[in-house]
């Protein structure tokens, strides 16, 4: 038996990683964002799990845009940090956990989720920035092995929020049935509201984000009931990344305790949010 001990949701804006890599986090423009992360980082530093699952999207850096799986899992021993055009970030490669990956793959397949399998995968800012939000100074290695779960949020039609929540619930069942790890941390990444291109470039919607931050804790079904078009309309064409927070939330129990949350506008073109939860009851969200 394994159990999810915490769930961390965070935006993955590339410049958050760049600010850290370049030692700019204390500069006035960045300090409020990183101050907001501090209580979560301190709490997490005391609770390193045996393994983590990171639900994220690739941005055509690890996987060509011609082939975008709806849901995928990495099964590699190691994942290299992708070069996104500015050189690789100076952070460690990611150590995987193939045994846990294959367990999750089998269980999810049997539960009706036919995941694409990546036995090799470079991970981009969608993956490494959340790791940096969790662990600002990894030195030679991230705190534990990490299994990537990838979601298509970049090509229409993206999976529905309801399907992402259901994937999370199936993931929760699969985690519970795994004997090889005791404790699991799960990260849901991306969001919050932002739109990077088109007529509404720069669009940010704080009232939607605050509703989402409240509901992801107390009423995830309400968020699961929104259509992909609702997300795009209300959170922006890239704000639909928020559906990945629902995978994390679905893998947790019906009731969770919010450890900490933070919201900062803007980080680059994005409303940057963070929410950290721990499981309070043993009753799963399913
Ligand atoms: C930005 C946000 C993202 O989610 C992303 O993937 C790339 C860039 C931004 O706000 O700059
Ligand atoms: Fe993104």
């Amino acid at each position: 038996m394994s159990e999810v001990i915490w769930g961390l949701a965070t935006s993955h804006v590339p410049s958050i990683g760049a600010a850290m890599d370049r030692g700019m986090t204390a500069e006035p423009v960045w300090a409020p964002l990183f101050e907001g992360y501090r209580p979560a980082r301190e709490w997490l530093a005391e609770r390193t799990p045996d393994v983590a699952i990171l639900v994220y999207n690739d941005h055509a850096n690890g996987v060509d845009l011609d082939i975008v799986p709806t849901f995928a899992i990495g099964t590699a021993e190691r994942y290299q940090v992708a070069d996104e055009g500015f050189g690789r970030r100076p952070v460690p490669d990611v150590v995987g956990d193939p045994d846990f990956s294959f367990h999750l793959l089998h269980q999810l397949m049997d539960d009706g989720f036919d995941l694409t399998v990546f036995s090799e995968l470079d991970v981009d800012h969608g993956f490494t920035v959340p790791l940096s939000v969790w662990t600002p100074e990894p030195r030679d290695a991230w705190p534990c092995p990490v299994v990537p779960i990838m979601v298509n949020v970049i090509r229409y039609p993206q999976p529905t929020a309801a399907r992402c929540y259901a994937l999370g619930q199936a993931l929760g069942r699969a985690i519970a049935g795994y004997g090889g790890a005791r404790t699991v941390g799960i990260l849901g990444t991306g969001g919050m509201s932002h739109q990077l291109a088109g007529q509404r470039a720069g669009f940010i919607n704080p009232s939607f984000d605050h509703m989402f931050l409240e509901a992801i804790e107390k009423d995830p079904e309400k968020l699961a009931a929104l259509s992909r078009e609702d997300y795009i309309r209300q959170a922006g064409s890239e704000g639909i990344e928020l559906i990945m927070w629902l995978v994390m939330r679905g893998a947790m129990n019906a009731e969770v305790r919010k450890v900490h949350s933070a919201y900062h506008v803007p980080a680059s073109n994005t409303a940057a949010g963070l929410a950290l939860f721990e499981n309070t009851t043993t009753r799963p969200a399913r």
Side-chain angles (χ1 to χ4, degrees):
M1 284 291 290
S2 298
E3 64 165 331
V4 174
I5 55 170
W6 52 252
L8 173 65
T10 173
S11 303
H12 62 215
V13 181
S15 58
I16 294 174
M20 294 176 65
D21 299 343
R22 296 172 192 182
M24 295 162 65
T25 58
E27 292 188 3
V29 66
W30 285 109
L33 173 96
F34 288 101
E35 239 347 87
Y37 290 166
R38 198 156 52 87
R41 285 170 158 175
E42 287 172 4
W43 190 90
L44 287 164
E46 308 277 305
R47 292 165 180 84
T48 298
D50 294 327
V51 64
I53 297 169
L54 198 150
V55 182
Y56 85 113
N57 70 290
D58 179 68
H59 302 74
N61 295 302
V63 185
D64 196 276
L65 250 195
D66 290 341
I67 305 168
V68 181
T70 299
F71 296 123
I73 188 165
T75 57
E77 296 270 3
R78 292 186 83 81
Y79 304 91
Q80 273 201 356
V81 175
D83 182 343
E84 302 186 38
F86 301 92
R88 287 160 39 99
R89 286 192 62 207
V91 293
D93 285 340
V94 176
V95 172
D97 185 339
D99 190 66
F100 190 40
S101 289
F102 281 111
H103 169 85
L104 296 176
L105 174 62
H106 282 148
Q107 295 297 306
L108 290 170
M109 283 275 189
D110 289 351
D111 219 343
F113 288 89
D114 307 330
L115 275 68
T116 298
V117 177
F118 285 103
S119 50
E120 271 181 43
L121 180 64
D122 287 359
V123 289
D124 74 0
H125 66 271
F127 201 97
T128 65
V129 169
L131 289 178
S132 293
V133 170
W134 167 15
T135 304
E137 286 174 30
R139 298 198 185 85
D140 294 340
W142 299 107
C144 66
V146 190
V147 169
I149 292 200
M150 192 192 285
V151 178
N152 167 34
V153 295
I154 61 174
R155 286 201 62 166
Y156 193 87
Q158 298 88 343
T160 62
R163 188 72 175 148
C164 288
Y165 189 56
L167 172 64
Q169 292 174 319
L171 198 53
R173 291 189 285 274
I175 293 164
Y178 185 60
R182 281 178 301 112
T183 55
V184 179
I186 180 159
L187 294 93
T189 69
M192 299 189 84
S193 62
H194 63 303
Q195 171 143 345
L196 300 179
Q199 280 187 346
R200 293 200 307 166
F203 174 77
I204 280 175
N205 186 350
S207 64
F208 178 84
D209 292 335
H210 288 299
M211 180 283 292
F212 192 96
L213 272 172
E214 178 87 9
I216 193 79
E217 177 190 355
K218 299 195 176 115
D219 192 5
E221 279 86 4
K222 172 170 139 184
L223 303 176
L226 298 176
S227 69
R228 77 171 65 76
E229 290 75 15
D230 289 331
Y231 277 93
I232 292 169
R233 231 175 261 123
Q234 295 185 56
S237 54
E238 278 72 35
I240 194 174
E241 289 175 343
L242 283 168
I243 60 175
M244 296 183 290
W245 292 32
L246 281 168
V247 182
M248 174 279 292
R249 185 63 184 85
M252 298 196 74
N253 292 344
E255 278 111 48
V256 293
R257 184 181 79 84
K258 185 170 83 180
V259 176
H260 180 67
S261 68
Y263 183 73
H264 179 82
V265 175
S268 182
N269 295 298
T270 297
L274 174 142
L276 174 61
F277 303 108
E278 72 174 332
N279 275 333
T280 49
T281 65
T282 51
R283 191 159 64 84
R286 53 200 163 269

